[in-house]
């Protein structure tokens, strides 16, 4: 499997486009393109392996780590990607896989040096802004503690119902991460997730729930979440889950992985 977590951090330029791995943004002539998390990870994988033939298994294992998915999921995301890009940039090799064939330039910083992974991680942490949405103060306090173990520089905001969550979300268009509880006193968490994804598709959202039924994880991913964390998750595992999300991966609990398609 190809690892997205170990991907280079320098932005890519190709044709009219620029992909920024750290910020998880795709720009088209300087403007944000609407691209979901799976399609973004698919494009990143293709760019990381410029010109190389990637099999369907390579791509599925990378974009859907630890999940069992059908090929039509890959075909759907590839179709979305081709509608955003110039179609000729991605070549289909019949019966074999795909390769990215357009010319790619790696963007360097102001000193002409490529950013290291450590530098990029520092930049990400310094600018990280996180919204915690849960109606229980003890849960919000616990999440603050977990995130505090990962970074000292994150700006964390809180909301304890849907109305406040929408207000905070609109007040802070530069949010890096939303941790969203499904059970809120004034509305449905899934509806709120759908609204968030429609308003800002590039914001990473992790769903949390006291219910660990696999169906909830499936629906969360379908609506665009980048992770599903049961509230019963042990602290160390929650830390690992957030590290995966910060690195640009999707997190599903191991016990649910086989059930999510």
């Amino acid at each position: 499997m190809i690892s997205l977590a170990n991907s280079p951090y320098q932005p890519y330029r190709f044709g009219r486009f620029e992909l920024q791995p750290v910020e998880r943004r795709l720009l088209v002539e300087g403007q944000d393109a609407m691209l979901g998390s799976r399609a973004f990870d698919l494009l990143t994988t293709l760019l990381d392996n410029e010109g190389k033939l990637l099999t369907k298994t390579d791509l599925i294992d990378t974009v859907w780590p630890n999940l069992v998915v059908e090929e039509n999921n890959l075909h759907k995301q590839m179709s979305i990607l081709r509608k955003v890009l110039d179609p000729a940039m991605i070549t289909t090799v019949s019966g074999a896989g795909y390769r990215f064939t357009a010319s790619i330039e790696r963007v360097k910083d102001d000193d002409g040096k490529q950013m290291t992974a450590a530098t990029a991680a520092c930049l990400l942490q310094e600018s990280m802004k996180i919204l915690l949405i849960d109606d229980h103060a003890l849960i919000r306090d616990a999440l603050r503690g977990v995130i505090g173990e990962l970074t000292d520089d994150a700006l964390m905001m809180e909301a304890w119902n849907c109305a406040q969550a929408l207000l905070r979300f609109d007040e802070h268009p530069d949010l890096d991460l939303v941790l969203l509880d499904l059970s809120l006193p004034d509305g449905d968490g899934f509806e709120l997730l759908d609204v968030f994804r429609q308003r800002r598709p590039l914001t990473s959202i992790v769903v949390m729930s006291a219910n660990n039924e696999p169906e909830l994880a499936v629906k969360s991913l379908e609506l665009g979440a980048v992770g599903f964390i049961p509230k019963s998750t042990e602290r160390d595992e929650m830390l690992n889950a957030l590290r995966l999300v910060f690195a640009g991966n999707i997190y599903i609990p191991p016990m649910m992985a086989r059930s999510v398609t």
Side-chain angles (χ1 to χ4, degrees):
M1 183 179 73
I2 304 164
S3 174
L4 280 178
N6 294 325
S7 297
Y9 285 81
Q10 300 88 348
Y12 295 95
R13 283 182 187 157
F14 48 101
R16 303 178 295 122
F17 303 90
E18 179 174 314
L19 182 139
Q20 300 175 349
V22 175
E23 295 85 356
R24 292 184 65 79
R25 300 174 68 196
L26 176 66
L27 304 179
V28 184
E29 297 178 346
Q31 301 297 316
D32 280 299
M34 296 297 100
L35 198 62
S37 294
R38 292 289 167 77
F40 186 93
D41 289 345
L42 180 58
L43 176 57
T44 302
T45 304
L46 290 166
L47 293 173
D48 283 348
N49 296 272
E50 177 186 3
K52 295 180 182 178
L53 175 64
L54 300 180
T55 67
K56 294 176 182 179
T57 300
D58 288 335
L59 293 170
I60 288 174
D61 286 348
T62 304
V63 179
W64 289 269
N66 302 317
L67 302 180
V68 178
V69 300
E70 298 178 357
E71 282 190 9
N72 63 354
N73 290 287
L74 174 61
H75 297 158
K76 179 180 178 180
Q77 296 303 320
M78 189 65 73
S79 177
I80 292 172
L81 195 53
R82 281 176 159 150
K83 288 178 181 178
V84 175
L85 303 179
D86 299 331
M89 290 180 167
I90 302 173
T91 300
T92 301
V93 181
S94 181
Y98 303 90
R99 63 161 51 98
F100 194 88
T101 54
S103 177
I104 300 173
E105 173 191 358
R106 300 307 303 271
V107 182
K108 299 183 180 181
D109 64 17
D110 294 338
D111 295 326
K113 299 177 181 178
Q114 294 184 331
M115 278 197 297
T116 65
T119 300
C122 290
L123 290 174
L124 180 60
Q125 289 189 357
E126 287 173 1
S127 62
M128 189 174 292
K129 185 179 286 190
I130 300 171
L131 174 60
L132 311 176
I133 306 172
D134 196 291
D135 61 332
H136 293 92
L138 288 177
I139 297 293
R140 298 195 304 273
D141 288 344
L143 290 174
R144 281 181 172 274
V146 170
I147 294 170
E149 292 187 39
L150 298 175
T151 172
D152 295 327
D153 300 315
L155 173 61
M156 286 180 273
M157 292 151 292
E158 300 181 5
W160 45 94
N161 59 35
C162 290
Q164 286 189 337
L166 284 169
L167 180 62
R168 299 285 187 272
F169 192 81
D170 289 338
E171 286 176 341
H172 301 277
D174 55 344
L175 283 170
D176 296 292
L177 176 68
V178 176
L179 293 176
L180 170 63
D181 180 22
L182 285 182
S183 299
L184 296 171
D186 62 340
D188 179 77
F190 283 130
E191 292 181 3
L192 190 59
L193 170 60
D194 192 36
V195 170
F196 286 167
R197 298 306 296 169
Q198 290 184 40
R199 293 189 182 182
R200 291 207 296 277
L202 299 181
T203 299
S204 296
I205 301 172
V206 173
V207 169
M208 303 191 69
S209 176
N211 191 327
N212 60 3
E213 292 181 4
E215 292 79 8
L216 298 181
V218 172
K219 187 171 182 179
S220 299
L221 294 181
E222 289 177 344
L223 290 174
V226 298
F228 182 91
I229 303 178
K231 290 185 179 180
S232 58
T233 302
E234 296 290 337
R235 191 179 187 88
D236 286 346
E237 180 61 25
M238 189 172 292
L239 283 167
N240 289 333
L242 292 176
R243 288 190 186 102
L244 280 173
V245 170
F246 293 160
N249 291 304
I250 306 292
Y251 175 80
I252 293 295
M255 64 181 178
M256 296 184 181
R258 291 292 176 183
S259 302
V260 179
T261 58

